[in-house]
Amino acid sequence: MEESTSLKENKMGVMSVNRLLISMSVPMMISMLVQAMYNIVDSMFVAQLNENALTAVSLAFPVQNLMIAVGSGTGVGLNALVSRSLGEKNTEYANRAANNGIYLSLFSFLAFALLTGCFGGAFFSVQTSDPEILKYGTAYIRICGMMSFGLFFQFVTERLLQSTGKTIYTMFTQSLGAVINIILDPIMIFGLFGFPRLEVAGAALATVTGQIIASLLGFWFNKHKNTELTIAPRKYRLSASVVKNIYSVGIPSIIMMSISSIMTFGMNKILMAFTSTATAVFGVYFKLQSFVFMPIFGMNNGMVPIVAYNYGARKPDRIMKTIRLAITYAVCIMLLGLAAFQILPGLLLRIFNASDTMLEIGTPALRIISVHFLLAGFSIVCSSSFQALGHGVLSLIVSVLRQLFVLLPSAYILSRLGGLTAIWWSFPIAEVVSALVCALFLRYLYKNEISPMQFTGTR
């Protein structure tokens, strides 16, 4: 009887933890690497226009990051709730949550379409008075926002696949969207094969086209391959209680990621006081570091449903083993990233057609900022673990402390004391604080919630 029950249980509750984490994470890591590659290719083509075009895309990052924050945060809350409900064998509630997530993606799209359509130009005008940057940036952000349906729908459909352990399909959706973007970038930016030359607007159009196609494929996978969930929005109406449970984890995650937009906006203002090239360097850094961080985010996307499922199933040993393995893998990835940034900063910058001035500013910047990679892997895994355990507010505290109370003030003070190069040291300083707080929070959760399960649940 016990063997029969195990066979019927989702693999997240019975498969070897290391094998499970690898099988669920590797597809996500591959797709995230493809995502990072298309982010780099996107900026690489834009940089061929001129440095102002690259600066415009860099200045647009806070708004793009805000959209990603809302989509990803909603997805995190949805993923955790669906996985936990399945772990508790409450399939009906998992279905209600899944379909409510589809409604939320629609509402998010409508909000950002309105905001970027009405205020996209104003956002750039408070950052720069350069007419070319204003023209490029306004066109870019309006297209990204007013056609963002694919972005939000893609987040929801992929997180539903992740919540049931079907991460292989998310590799297909993300890879397809990225490949389409990469193919369309040069065609739309430079006007190849008879297509009109759209320049920076072409980069935005290529991005949203890839997102829309990927989201449609994600919906198809959920309807036809994700048999543990029933996708039927007409059957499962919008529920205030379900939405509340999604956002109890999702809102802290949204705020946490939105804080990154505030930090980036603040850093851009500090750097623009020196030179617009410094802002371009900062934008390039974010593109490059995504190639290091994206695999870890992919692993986290595989880890979160495992932790959430076993939290619902009350299996503390599997929870802690998953977290420990994820931290180990994350630190190894970060060490590789640190080596690349320390040894090859000039080569990395030349990918973006860097001028002599950009190389002079960017080479020390990449070497200094990358020092924080040593601790960042640990902090990222811990924050995702807090969300999976239903304590998104702890992740929020870490993010607020790191970016608003340490990083930005440190950057401002260092800009006054040591000039432009000194600013970059604010990243390692902030990461030390973040890692210490994460360690304290993880210890607290282990003592008060995970360890007591050994006496009240199955192992």
Side-chain angles (χ1 to χ4, degrees):
M1 183 70 178
E2 183 179 348
E3 182 180 356
S4 176
T5 302
S6 295
L7 288 172
K8 292 180 180 180
E9 187 172 1
N10 188 284
K11 66 179 181 179
M12 290 186 287
V14 294
M15 185 183 287
S16 164
V17 172
N18 189 46
R19 180 184 169 197
L20 177 64
L21 181 61
I22 291 173
S23 67
M24 290 187 63
S25 297
V26 168
M28 292 304 306
M29 293 169 74
I30 292 171
S31 61
M32 286 290 190
L33 278 171
V34 175
Q35 292 275 320
M37 183 175 69
Y38 96 71
N39 282 335
I40 290 177
V41 171
D42 202 49
S43 292
M44 182 182 73
F45 284 124
V46 167
Q48 301 303 312
L49 297 171
N50 54 56
E51 195 172 289
N52 278 346
L54 183 60
T55 300
V57 173
S58 298
L59 291 176
F61 180 78
V63 176
Q64 284 184 291
N65 191 67
L66 186 60
M67 290 191 289
I68 292 171
V70 173
S72 179
T74 302
V76 166
L78 180 64
N79 190 345
L81 181 59
V82 172
S83 296
R84 191 161 61 246
S85 299
L86 291 174
E88 295 167 349
K89 305 298 184 288
N90 192 347
T91 305
E92 180 64 18
Y93 196 82
N95 286 329
R96 290 176 62 193
N99 286 276
N100 273 248
I102 294 174
Y103 286 119
L104 295 176
S105 68
L106 176 61
F107 297 148
S108 299
F109 155 66
L110 293 174
F112 277 98
L114 182 63
L115 286 172
T116 54
C118 294
F119 303 108
F123 172 76
F124 276 89
S125 65
V126 300
Q127 298 186 84
T128 180
S129 58
D130 187 297
E132 189 173 38
I133 296 176
L134 280 171
K135 182 187 75 170
Y136 281 146
T138 301
Y140 184 83
I141 204 60
R142 280 179 175 165
I143 292 173
C144 287
M146 296 177 72
M147 298 179 68
S148 60
F149 172 78
L151 171 71
F152 293 109
F153 201 52
Q154 184 181 353
F155 268 118
V156 167
T157 55
E158 288 176 353
R159 291 305 172 99
L160 291 178
L161 291 166
Q162 293 166 23
S163 68
T164 58
K166 296 174 177 62
T167 56
I168 186 67
Y169 296 117
T170 63
M171 181 181 72
F172 295 144
T173 58
Q174 290 193 357
S175 298
L176 177 65
V179 169
I180 290 172
N181 190 354
I182 291 170
I183 293 172
L184 292 180
D185 259 333
I187 295 173
M188 293 182 170
I189 292 172
F190 302 115
L192 305 179
F193 307 114
F195 201 89
R197 180 184 173 95
L198 299 177
E199 299 190 339
V200 174
L205 188 58
T207 297
V208 298
T209 301
Q211 291 168 346
I212 290 170
I213 293 174
S215 71
L216 294 176
L217 180 61
F219 181 77
W220 189 89
F221 278 140
N222 274 287
K223 286 287 289 184
H224 298 282
K225 301 294 182 180
N226 205 0
T227 55
E228 291 176 85
L229 296 173
T230 301
I231 306 301
R234 291 184 179 180
K235 177 181 178 181
Y236 295 96
R237 302 294 183 181
L238 192 66
S239 166
S241 63
V242 173
V243 171
K244 179 182 177 182
N245 286 334
I246 290 172
Y247 281 126
S248 65
V249 173
I251 284 182
S253 180
I254 290 171
I255 296 173
M256 181 176 66
M257 293 188 67
S258 299
I259 288 166
S260 179
S261 295
I262 299 172
M263 181 276 292
T264 305
F265 182 83
M267 285 292 291
N268 283 337
K269 294 288 285 184
I270 293 171
L271 294 170
M272 283 289 281
F274 289 90
T275 170
S276 62
T277 302
T279 304
V281 167
F282 188 49
V284 165
Y285 159 71
F286 267 102
K287 299 291 184 179
L288 291 171
Q289 62 96 32
S290 69
F291 213 76
V292 181
F293 282 70
M294 282 294 192
I296 297 177
F297 293 148
M299 182 182 64
N300 281 356
N301 288 340
M303 177 197 73
V304 166
I306 299 173
V307 173
Y309 184 97
N310 286 285
Y311 183 65
R314 305 191 69 77
K315 297 182 177 181
D317 289 349
R318 293 180 65 82
I319 294 172
M320 290 309 301
K321 188 170 184 179
T322 302
I323 294 173
R324 285 194 296 267
L325 284 169
I327 290 172
T328 301
Y329 293 140
V331 171
C332 291
I333 293 170
M334 282 297 186
L335 287 174
L336 293 175
L338 174 63
F341 274 63
Q342 293 295 319
I343 298 170
L344 305 169
L347 180 62
L348 294 174
L349 289 166
R350 287 190 181 92
I351 295 173
F352 301 90
N353 201 31
S355 63
D356 291 340
T357 303
M358 183 179 284
L359 286 170
E360 183 181 355
I361 294 172
T363 298
L366 294 188
R367 283 179 171 152
I368 293 170
I369 296 175
S370 62
V371 171
H372 89 281
F373 290 0
L374 291 168
L375 295 173
F378 170 79
S379 299
I380 292 170
V381 173
C382 285
S383 290
S384 294
S385 300
F386 303 155
Q387 294 166 0
L389 294 168
H391 291 278
V393 69
L394 298 183
S395 299
L396 173 61
I397 291 171
V398 173
S399 185
V400 170
L401 183 65
R402 177 183 179 273
Q403 299 187 78
L404 299 188
F405 286 89
V406 182
L407 198 154
L408 269 184
S410 297
Y412 178 76
I413 292 170
L414 290 171
S415 72
R416 296 289 181 170
L417 297 177
L420 178 58
T421 301
I423 293 174
W424 312 120
W425 284 105
S426 59
F427 285 86
I429 292 170
E431 201 60 56
V432 170
V433 175
S434 174
L436 289 173
V437 175
C438 281
L440 290 173
F441 284 162
L442 185 60
R443 183 173 183 270
Y444 169 82
L445 289 178
Y446 176 76
K447 289 182 64 177
N448 292 276
E449 294 197 14
I450 299 174
S451 183
M453 288 183 188
Q454 296 178 9
F455 307 103
T456 59
T458 58
R459 297 188 64 178

